[in-house]
Amino acid sequence: MLFKSRSFYKPSLIFPLWQTFKFLLLKVAFLKAAADILAFMSPQIMKSMITASENHTSSRGSGYGYAIALFFVVLSQTLLHQLYQRNNMLTAVKVKTAVVGLIYKKALTLANSSRQRYTTGEMVNLMSADAQQLMELIVNINLLWSAPFQIIMAVIFLWKELGPSVLAGVAVLLLIIPLNALIAAKVKTLQKSQMKYSDQRVKLLSEMLHGIKILKLYAWEPSYQRKVMRIREREVDVLKSSGYLKTYSMLTLTCIPFMVTLATFGVYFYLDKEHVLTAAKVFTSISLFNILRLPLFDLPSVISAVAQTKVSLSRLEDFLFAEDLNSEDVDTNYSGNHAVELTAASFCWEKNGLPVLKNLSVSIPEGSLVAVVGQVGSGKSSFLSSLLGEMEKLEGTVHRRGSVAYIAQQAWIQNGSLQENILFGTDLNRSYYELVLESCALLPDLEQLPNGDQTEIGERGVNISGGQKQRVSLARAVYSNADLYLLDDPLSAVDVHVGKHLFEKLIGPSGLLKSKTRVLVTHNLTLLPHADLIIVMEEGKISEMGSYQELISKRAKFVELIQVFSVENRSEKTTPNKVSSSNEECQLGRNLQQRELLKPRHSSEQWKVLRNNKEKVATGGMKMSVVLKYLQAFDWRWMWLTVAAYLGQNALAIGQNLWLSTWTAETAKISDFTEWQKSRNYKLGIYGLLGFLQGLLVCCSAYVLTQGSLAASRTLHHQLLDNVLHLPLQHFETNPVGQIINRFTKDLFIVDIRFHYYLRSWLNCTLDVIGTILVITFSLPLFIVVVIPLGYLYFIIQRYYIASSRQIRRLAGASHSPVISHFTETILGGSTIRAFGHQERFIRKNNDVVYENLVYFYNNVISNRCLSVRLEFLGNLMVFFAALFVVLAGNTVSSSTVGLSISYALNIIQSLNFWVRKACEIETNAVSIERVCEYANMDKEEPWITSKRPPVGWPDRGIIEFVNYKAQYRKDHGLALNDISFQTRNKEKVGIVGRTGAGKSTLTNCLFRVLEGCGGKIIIDGIDISTIGLHDLRGNLNIIPQDPILFSGTLQSNLDPLGKHSDHELWEALELCDLKSFVQSLPKKLLHEISEGGENLSVGQRQLVCLARVLLRKKKVLVLDEATASVDMETDNLVQSTIKREFYNCTILTIAHRLHTVMDSERVLVLDAGKILEYDTPHNLLQRKGAFSEMVAEAGITR
């Protein structure tokens, strides 16, 4: 009901939260009220003791009674307050969990237009930062009524002491609170700005980490590092403004009691010249003012928190109110004769956007194989998305029957075991499972993996090849045993012979899915004769439709596609009657067993690394080095100035109370008050001067603290970013990105906002506690007998508590990463999850990872309460002994000493508790500093730039020589490349082929020094590449990688992130890639906004943009890593001819699945298990009848 009436009003999140949690919130409010009332009983008992001491009227028995009563009152207040705190924290975390669940569910239903608005980084921020902000408001929400209630109670009791003069103090409060409200409004504005910059930073970082391979291969890290730092500087500027505003809050906290006291006493004297200050009045008033201090500080803080949370609430409401996918666009309860039926259907990606698919009418019979073909950008993938309900339907009808299995063009793989990826939440049927593995050609993989199908696959499948990802994705779809299979070009990422095997065993007329309805988007036109129906897409419309023979006979657009394909393949067979004969099938089976996917030992090693990719949790005590690192970043100059300022302000605070004590002691001794009255203005002036100096030092300490904390934030962020970007690529392939993002969000938030606050509070409390003990001991020397054992007990309790709390906090921090990782994974695989209908299962999984995080949170809350009860009990004992020693001292101590001792003793309960808590907060939050700094100690890749620089224009010939080169992924494992030796000629075109896992990609990794060698060397144009910096190497080589990765931003920034090229050069590159007309048709042309991951371009278009990038980087060595796997034959032809024409004077290394792309290479390098099998011209290799000849025969290519 909450999100129905979109047109009338924007619904609020507060109302449903109140309806859900109101009874818990009311229970918490009742406990808070009871604890607050008890807090005002202590000053009244103290007043009775001082009065008795002044008048010398009470017996020792009544004195003991007062001491015991005081003890039981403070003890009861402790128990009630801790019960309130426990229930309060648990209620707040329930609210946060509910909101996290809402965000997760919403992310699964977002329409495409909403996905354009909310990037992955922004949604992660909603779940981590905004939900946390809401939780913190719930923690403090009772202060909205409790603070005014305590202020009113304090004013009533003060009226009893000082009469109408208390109104002067109230006037000071009324003057200060509106100023706090103004500052809260300003803080709200600043927080909006800070969140905006934080979102931008996290979004950019998330994209950088997901596309880290591109950044490293192109040596773009410094450019993107500067982009992040520019955003961070703006964020730090906002933090600076916020820090200066907090100076006022600190001044308020420290000086309001003094200002109120000064105003009240001043007016008290002014109203009646006969008024004198007695110990009972002064110390009762001071105790009440001390009680007043906390609500006065809390009220502006909670007003500020409300203001800040309003920003977060607004962001959450906007997100939860964003446009959803319309489940009614596709009728899934269809009972007609067809599996799929579209009638005059038009679709667009965004509401009110231009139609992408127009007037589609097609009926797909059950059990048929439908092929969808067309050029890049013609709407093939969009056609599948329309069947899934992922697009906005403008008109027409879409009917679909039965369950669906979907394979996206870019395979989505979960972080889990290979078996978990295939089962996808269903039960294991062993015989069918093994049949699926065999059909998807995965059995040879399992034989090579250390744990078989229980081996962990990394996040997004980073540690397996594109072909393996696609086959795992296929296996997942096949195992689901669905009625309708939507296959978005799954054969493009696999080798030709594997593609044939998959078609034969799985997709084709005699495959495992022969009785299912299959809609196959493909660029491989050899498969079309086997399709029951062929749909030809052109500019978002179905240009032709029919069987293969029907379309051939029409001699229209389809025949043009076939002709392009035939020219491209020259002699590759276009219309085979059968995919392969039974003999060929047997041969293929043998080859698959012997060679296909036989991964050398380095691959097994990669998997082993992955098994341990869970976040490590530090153990043991906080290392002093961690705090030292923070203080170094803080700057020692600011640190010593902060300590000096706090020492000064605490000394002045003690001086104020001692001054009042001396003043009231004089009052008790003087019989003629005329002289006392003459000096009172002077004494009140001294009291005011001490307060003014204290306020001055508070402002100084706040300023230096802000400067130091900003220096620390800036330095630690820069170090973290620098360390992360210097990590080797393998680290990112074996560790979830969520772990690193967690450092830049949650841990950096602690560094920016929290840690310096905890240090300041701890320092203040330490000085406060020392001052309190000194004052009481000075007044009652016997008190030292109690302080020593109680101090020892304090020390024992806090050490015991801190050890457990610190580890619980670490575990909680580590258990938060899976929440973020699972959420990020869900966002990336949203369309696949919806297609399979597994939303509920993923929601349950999210609940599980959140629950695990909550287990640690609950233990943290309980350990906090456990500590507080024990510490406050020891504090209560201190109060009791202070009162007891006052009674035992009898008439030997003055009433002012009684007042000073007991008021300080009452104050120490909170101070000691606060002190130990802040010491613990420093230890537990130092975990965040530890986590931010831990990347500094990890193995880094080699330096980017060294003293030895290659000459300008290197390489100028492009001669690459491998000399006895060896490489391994880890020292304790086998060689990934074993004794590789070969040399290219000047401007030579070399094809590199081999089965999956033969070492083709490893060779590329070694050339770019992504993987460092363990023997031999690589020489390019006379320079050993191991002797120069990585950026000097990578910046002078060129590569089109297998995965076309784009970053959000303009098309221009994607083509030329370093800003080195003119618009004219960019247009030239686009024209060469056949993208010029497409870009000119865009409203903003080169400034067209690319969405996150390039999602608003087809995969083929993304690959062409990557080609344009390479054309702009005019280097003498070019590596093509499966560069045309995602494009149709016509585009492939275009890309190949462009590369031949534009890079005619370059050395080109081509790694290809489609063997025809290397048939016209000057030489071909055949790899197997990390060794060179053959290296010669294609003609000679075919004559030799070796491994290459065998592979060509399997692919059906003849020369």
Side-chain angles (χ1 to χ4, degrees):
M1 294 299 293
L2 181 64
F3 303 111
K4 291 281 181 183
S5 312
R6 292 178 184 274
S7 54
F8 296 106
Y9 69 99
K10 177 182 167 183
S12 167
L13 186 60
I14 291 292
F15 181 70
L17 287 175
W18 167 252
Q19 289 292 351
T20 309
F21 298 105
K22 59 185 174 188
F23 294 113
L24 285 171
L25 290 166
L26 289 170
K27 176 185 173 184
V28 168
F30 172 77
L31 290 168
K32 176 68 173 156
D36 287 351
I37 290 166
L38 280 173
F40 287 94
M41 292 181 69
S42 310
Q44 300 310 308
I45 297 171
M46 181 183 72
K47 180 187 174 183
S48 302
M49 292 184 75
I50 297 170
T51 306
S53 176
E54 278 178 343
N55 302 331
H56 308 293
T57 55
S58 66
S59 64
R60 186 159 283 191
S62 62
Y64 291 143
Y66 285 136
I68 292 167
L70 189 59
F71 175 69
F72 278 110
V73 164
V74 290
L75 182 61
S76 303
Q77 193 211 347
T78 290
L79 295 173
L80 275 171
H81 184 69
Q82 295 311 318
L83 200 55
Y84 152 73
Q85 288 281 20
R86 175 191 176 275
N87 285 281
N88 193 29
M89 289 301 290
L90 296 183
T91 304
V93 81
K94 283 177 183 175
V95 171
K96 179 188 172 181
T97 306
V99 171
V100 165
L102 274 176
I103 294 167
Y104 187 87
K105 286 179 183 175
K106 183 69 181 182
L108 280 170
T109 63
L110 281 182
N112 192 66
S113 54
S114 305
R115 273 293 282 119
Q116 299 290 330
R117 277 175 56 203
Y118 293 98
T119 64
T120 304
E122 285 170 333
M123 284 190 265
V124 166
N125 243 358
L126 285 170
M127 185 177 267
S128 54
D130 294 301
Q132 181 68 24
Q133 188 72 47
L134 183 61
M135 174 182 155
E136 286 176 9
L137 175 70
I138 300 298
V139 168
N140 297 313
I141 195 78
N142 283 295
L143 297 174
L144 277 175
W145 64 263
S146 170
F149 172 69
Q150 288 180 72
I151 290 167
I152 291 165
M153 288 275 288
V155 168
I156 290 169
F157 282 111
L158 283 165
W159 187 287
K160 284 176 67 179
E161 297 301 322
L162 302 168
S165 59
V166 78
L167 293 175
V170 174
V172 171
L173 295 181
L174 292 174
L175 188 68
I176 286 168
I177 288 172
L179 283 172
N180 277 336
L182 280 172
I183 284 177
K186 181 63 180 169
V187 166
K188 172 187 170 183
T189 311
L190 287 172
Q191 201 215 4
K192 261 187 177 175
S193 300
Q194 199 240 334
M195 281 189 160
K196 184 182 81 175
Y197 293 132
S198 176
D199 277 352
Q200 288 175 7
R201 181 171 55 82
V202 173
K203 174 188 167 188
L204 179 57
L205 276 163
S206 180
E207 286 195 75
M208 284 168 62
L209 294 172
H210 283 110
I212 191 72
K213 188 171 184 180
I214 293 291
L215 296 190
K216 289 201 170 293
L217 292 177
Y218 286 173
W220 281 350
E221 300 103 318
S223 170
Y224 277 85
Q225 187 175 8
R226 285 193 294 272
K227 284 184 182 181
V228 174
M229 292 308 296
R230 280 198 293 272
I231 299 171
R232 177 63 177 171
E233 276 306 313
R234 292 198 283 270
E235 191 181 355
V236 169
D237 284 342
V238 175
L239 287 171
K240 185 192 290 183
S241 304
S242 186
Y244 291 154
L245 282 175
K246 283 173 187 168
T247 303
Y248 176 78
S249 296
M250 289 166 71
L251 187 65
T252 306
L253 170 68
T254 314
C255 296
I256 275 187
F258 147 73
M259 290 164 71
V260 171
T261 307
L262 186 66
T264 305
F265 288 168
V267 172
Y268 183 66
F269 294 144
Y270 178 76
L271 288 177
D272 190 338
K273 305 295 181 190
E274 300 302 315
H275 279 161
V276 291
L277 286 179
T278 62
K281 282 188 189 301
V282 167
F283 289 107
T284 305
S285 300
I286 285 176
S287 285
L288 290 166
F289 284 136
N290 277 333
I291 292 173
L292 195 59
R293 183 198 303 202
L294 209 55
L296 283 172
F297 178 67
D298 285 341
L299 193 58
S301 295
V302 82
I303 291 168
S304 171
V306 169
Q308 289 175 8
T309 310
K310 198 166 181 299
V311 177
S312 291
L313 263 176
S314 178
R315 283 156 54 94
L316 287 165
E317 286 165 357
D318 286 344
F319 176 72
L320 294 170
F321 194 52
E323 197 72 39
D324 281 337
L325 290 167
N326 187 352
S327 57
E328 295 172 7
D329 277 354
V330 178
D331 174 19
T332 54
N333 298 317
Y334 181 53
S335 56
N337 298 324
H338 296 93
V340 174
E341 188 169 57
L342 283 84
T343 310
S346 296
F347 301 88
C348 63
W349 281 113
E350 295 182 32
K351 213 165 196 179
N352 307 320
L354 294 171
V356 176
L357 299 176
K358 303 154 212 162
N359 198 29
L360 303 185
S361 292
V362 61
S363 297
I364 298 175
E366 272 198 47
S368 60
L369 171 59
V370 179
V372 183
V373 295
Q375 294 182 344
V376 168
S378 60
K380 304 183 296 298
S381 296
S382 298
F383 176 71
L384 295 189
S385 295
S386 70
L387 300 183
L388 290 169
E390 295 286 317
M391 298 180 75
E392 296 276 354
K393 189 176 73 175
L394 298 173
E395 58 183 357
T397 58
V398 184
H399 300 293
R400 196 184 76 208
R401 186 163 60 190
S403 57
V404 175
Y406 170 59
I407 298 171
Q409 191 168 1
Q410 288 188 301
W412 173 69
I413 303 293
Q414 286 182 273
N415 188 4
S417 73
L418 189 130
Q419 187 184 80
E420 285 167 351
N421 268 280
I422 295 172
L423 297 184
F424 205 51
T426 55
D427 294 330
L428 176 64
N429 177 339
R430 176 58 66 181
S431 57
Y432 185 62
Y433 174 70
E434 287 176 357
L435 181 61
V436 169
L437 289 177
E438 185 187 359
S439 303
C440 295
L442 283 168
L443 285 175
D445 290 272
L446 302 187
E447 292 167 14
Q448 299 299 310
L449 304 181
N451 293 321
D453 59 2
Q454 297 305 311
T455 307
E456 290 269 326
I457 297 181
E459 194 176 24
R460 306 180 320 283
V462 289
N463 63 319
I464 54 177
S465 72
Q468 288 167 322
K469 278 189 229 177
Q470 203 60 273
R471 282 180 290 111
V472 170
S473 184
L474 256 174
R476 175 175 62 210
V478 176
Y479 190 81
S480 70
N481 200 20
D483 302 310
L484 172 64
Y485 285 82
L486 302 178
L487 314 170
D488 196 352
D489 205 10
L491 305 181
S492 67
V494 298
D495 294 342
V496 173
H497 62 285
V498 181
K500 277 192 169 184
H501 172 86
L502 293 174
F503 191 80
E504 171 91 4
K505 294 278 187 183
L506 209 59
I507 301 166
S510 58
L512 190 59
L513 302 178
K514 62 187 175 188
S515 61
K516 308 289 186 180
T517 309
R518 292 139 291 157
V519 181
L520 172 69
V521 168
T522 185
H523 294 126
N524 187 349
L525 306 190
T526 56
L527 308 175
L528 299 187
H530 308 282
D532 301 309
L533 179 67
I534 298 168
I535 297 171
V536 183
M537 300 294 297
E538 186 179 6
E539 295 181 357
K541 296 177 182 174
I542 297 176
S543 63
E544 295 170 68
M545 186 166 55
S547 69
Y548 184 81
Q549 293 304 328
E550 287 169 0
L551 293 179
I552 286 288
S553 61
K554 285 182 188 174
R555 304 196 64 76
K557 183 73 181 173
F558 178 70
V559 178
E560 288 176 32
L561 281 173
I562 293 292
Q563 285 169 349
V564 168
F565 182 79
S566 302
V567 171
E568 161 67 26
N569 275 343
R570 293 196 297 275
S571 56
E572 191 165 341
K573 298 168 189 172
T574 323
T575 56
N577 294 323
K578 297 172 81 176
V579 174
S580 63
S581 68
S582 58
N583 289 338
E584 286 173 317
E585 184 185 329
C586 294
Q587 177 65 32
L588 178 61
R590 282 197 299 275
N591 288 331
L592 282 168
Q593 286 301 320
Q594 291 162 15
R595 287 188 170 179
E596 157 54 13
L597 306 171
L598 285 178
K599 297 176 75 66
R601 279 174 286 179
H602 78 266
S603 295
S604 302
E605 183 280 329
Q606 275 184 294
W607 294 94
K608 283 183 181 175
V609 173
L610 226 2
R611 280 184 295 163
N612 301 319
N613 68 355
K614 291 202 172 173
E615 191 159 1
K616 292 188 179 76
V617 181
T619 54
M622 175 187 69
K623 301 174 188 73
M624 200 57 208
S625 60
V626 173
V627 175
L628 282 174
K629 274 179 186 168
Y630 181 80
L631 292 177
Q632 280 166 357
F634 193 92
D635 193 329
W636 292 105
R637 174 186 46 165
W638 297 121
M639 201 272 284
W640 292 120
L641 282 171
T642 304
V643 171
Y646 274 103
L647 267 171
Q649 74 186 53
N650 276 276
L652 286 166
I654 291 171
Q656 284 175 293
N657 287 327
L658 288 173
W659 183 257
L660 282 175
S661 177
T662 309
W663 196 2
T664 52
E666 284 177 14
T667 309
K669 292 174 187 172
I670 293 172
S671 52
D672 178 15
F673 289 102
T674 311
E675 192 179 329
W676 186 89
Q677 286 166 349
K678 284 177 184 175
S679 65
R680 72 181 178 188
N681 289 342
Y682 160 73
K683 292 190 173 175
L684 193 63
I686 294 293
Y687 180 74
L689 179 65
L690 289 171
F692 173 76
L693 291 172
Q694 186 190 8
L696 204 61
L697 283 174
V698 167
C699 290
C700 290
S701 62
Y703 173 78
V704 294
L705 192 77
T706 301
Q707 291 297 327
S709 62
L710 289 173
S713 289
R714 197 179 272 116
T715 304
L716 290 174
H717 175 269
H718 180 71
Q719 286 173 356
L720 172 63
L721 181 62
D722 198 55
N723 286 327
V724 165
L725 290 177
H726 276 84
L727 289 172
L729 191 60
Q730 281 166 281
H731 178 89
F732 301 96
E733 292 178 344
T734 54
N735 290 277
V737 166
Q739 284 182 14
I740 300 174
I741 292 291
N742 213 6
R743 304 296 191 276
F744 281 101
T745 50
K746 195 163 176 284
D747 294 319
L748 214 61
F749 173 76
I750 300 285
V751 173
D752 287 347
I753 309 293
R754 296 280 171 79
F755 197 71
H756 62 87
Y757 162 71
Y758 294 137
L759 274 177
R760 183 198 83 201
S761 302
W762 176 81
L763 177 63
N764 211 13
C765 281
T766 303
L767 297 171
D768 201 17
V769 166
I770 292 168
T772 299
I773 291 171
L774 287 174
V775 167
I776 299 175
T777 308
F778 177 73
S779 306
L780 301 165
L782 201 56
F783 190 67
I784 197 74
V785 177
V786 177
V787 166
I788 291 168
L790 286 182
Y792 177 72
L793 280 173
Y794 259 100
F795 179 76
I796 295 297
I797 290 171
Q798 66 120 3
R799 290 318 303 163
Y800 175 76
Y801 162 76
I802 284 176
S804 55
S805 178
R806 178 182 56 235
Q807 203 57 23
I808 290 169
R809 185 71 67 96
R810 280 170 172 160
L811 290 164
S815 70
H816 190 253
S817 290
V819 177
I820 300 299
S821 290
H822 178 68
F823 184 49
T824 308
E825 195 172 68
T826 303
I827 294 167
L828 295 172
S831 55
T832 303
I833 294 165
R834 286 189 291 273
F836 280 82
H838 281 229
Q839 294 96 316
E840 286 303 317
R841 182 171 71 82
F842 273 79
I843 289 167
R844 287 196 300 274
K845 167 75 173 168
N846 179 63
N847 292 344
D848 289 343
V849 290
V850 169
Y851 175 75
E852 188 178 344
N853 183 237
L854 288 180
V855 168
Y856 297 115
F857 178 85
Y858 178 78
N859 280 290
N860 195 36
V861 169
I862 296 305
S863 65
N864 278 339
R865 302 287 65 82
C866 177
L867 169 81
S868 294
V869 168
R870 283 156 179 75
L871 288 187
E872 290 196 17
F873 178 71
L874 292 179
N876 298 337
L877 285 175
M878 280 198 181
V879 172
F880 173 68
F881 283 115
L884 187 65
F885 292 147
V886 162
V887 174
L888 289 171
N891 296 332
T892 59
V893 293
S894 65
S895 57
S896 63
T897 303
V898 172
L900 188 67
S901 303
I902 296 177
S903 64
Y904 261 95
L906 285 170
N907 204 33
I908 205 174
I909 298 175
Q910 288 304 320
S911 292
L912 271 170
N913 191 2
F914 208 57
W915 179 52
V916 175
R917 176 148 316 181
K918 291 308 157 192
C920 178
E921 292 287 5
I922 287 169
E923 282 231 14
T924 50
N925 282 284
V927 173
S928 288
I929 312 274
E930 196 176 5
R931 284 154 58 90
V932 164
C933 294
E934 72 182 345
Y935 289 101
N937 303 320
M938 290 185 181
D939 291 336
K940 304 292 188 303
E941 59 186 3
E942 295 299 315
W944 288 347
I945 302 291
T946 62
S947 55
K948 182 178 179 182
R949 306 289 300 269
V952 177
W954 176 88
D956 54 351
R957 291 174 298 157
I959 296 174
I960 302 167
E961 186 180 0
F962 278 70
V963 183
N964 302 323
Y965 197 78
K966 295 173 184 171
Q968 57 188 157
Y969 281 87
R970 232 168 60 180
K971 288 179 182 176
D972 54 342
H973 285 80
L975 294 171
L977 290 181
N978 190 354
D979 206 26
I980 298 286
S981 293
F982 72 94
Q983 182 177 355
T984 68
R985 302 189 191 104
N986 185 14
K987 304 175 187 176
E988 188 177 21
K989 313 297 179 272
V990 176
I992 301 172
V993 298
R995 315 283 180 181
T996 306
K1000 305 188 295 291
S1001 294
T1002 305
L1003 196 74
T1004 308
N1005 287 344
C1006 292
L1007 189 62
F1008 282 82
R1009 286 178 62 196
V1010 167
L1011 177 64
E1012 296 286 350
C1014 60
K1017 54 187 174 180
I1018 302 172
I1019 298 168
I1020 300 178
D1021 282 0
I1023 293 181
D1024 182 346
I1025 64 169
S1026 65
T1027 62
I1028 59 173
L1030 290 180
H1031 280 188
D1032 280 336
L1033 170 67
R1034 294 169 184 172
N1036 285 302
L1037 302 180
N1038 232 339
I1039 184 168
I1040 306 181
Q1042 186 173 358
D1043 296 321
I1045 293 169
L1046 301 184
F1047 300 99
S1048 59
T1050 63
L1051 179 61
Q1052 185 169 14
S1053 69
N1054 269 282
L1055 290 169
D1056 182 26
L1058 305 182
K1060 288 183 176 178
H1061 302 280
S1062 66
D1063 283 5
H1064 177 68
E1065 289 174 302
L1066 299 183
W1067 282 114
E1068 271 189 351
L1070 290 171
E1071 188 170 13
L1072 291 169
C1073 297
D1074 202 30
L1075 278 174
K1076 187 175 181 180
S1077 56
F1078 167 70
V1079 176
Q1080 282 179 329
S1081 71
L1082 299 170
K1084 292 184 179 177
K1085 300 189 169 49
L1086 285 173
L1087 298 178
H1088 174 67
E1089 281 294 323
I1090 303 290
S1091 63
E1092 189 177 15
E1095 286 181 2
N1096 54 349
L1097 297 179
S1098 74
V1099 177
Q1101 286 168 328
R1102 282 179 238 167
Q1103 193 64 278
L1104 291 175
V1105 172
C1106 292
L1107 174 62
R1109 271 182 193 159
V1110 168
L1111 289 169
L1112 290 165
R1113 285 165 59 99
K1114 295 177 173 64
K1115 308 295 178 190
K1116 285 287 181 181
V1117 175
L1118 171 64
V1119 178
L1120 304 177
D1121 189 358
E1122 317 288 8
T1124 54
S1126 304
V1127 296
D1128 59 60
M1129 283 298 168
E1130 186 175 356
T1131 310
D1132 188 358
N1133 188 26
L1134 167 80
V1135 170
Q1136 297 299 338
S1137 60
T1138 304
I1139 288 169
K1140 280 175 200 167
R1141 185 176 66 254
E1142 297 301 317
F1143 295 97
Y1144 70 92
N1145 63 341
C1146 300
T1147 300
I1148 301 177
L1149 302 182
T1150 305
I1151 298 171
H1153 285 143
R1154 297 175 179 177
L1155 285 179
H1156 65 80
T1157 58
V1158 296
M1159 292 305 289
D1160 57 356
S1161 298
E1162 290 165 49
R1163 282 194 287 178
V1164 174
L1165 180 73
V1166 184
L1167 291 174
D1168 186 56
K1171 294 182 179 179
I1172 296 176
L1173 286 186
E1174 299 171 326
Y1175 183 43
D1176 208 335
T1177 63
H1179 176 76
N1180 290 347
L1181 292 179
L1182 288 170
Q1183 295 295 318
R1184 198 177 296 166
K1185 302 293 183 191
F1188 181 69
S1189 173
E1190 192 180 319
M1191 291 166 75
V1192 169
E1194 284 171 16
I1197 300 173
T1198 57
R1199 293 290 284 179

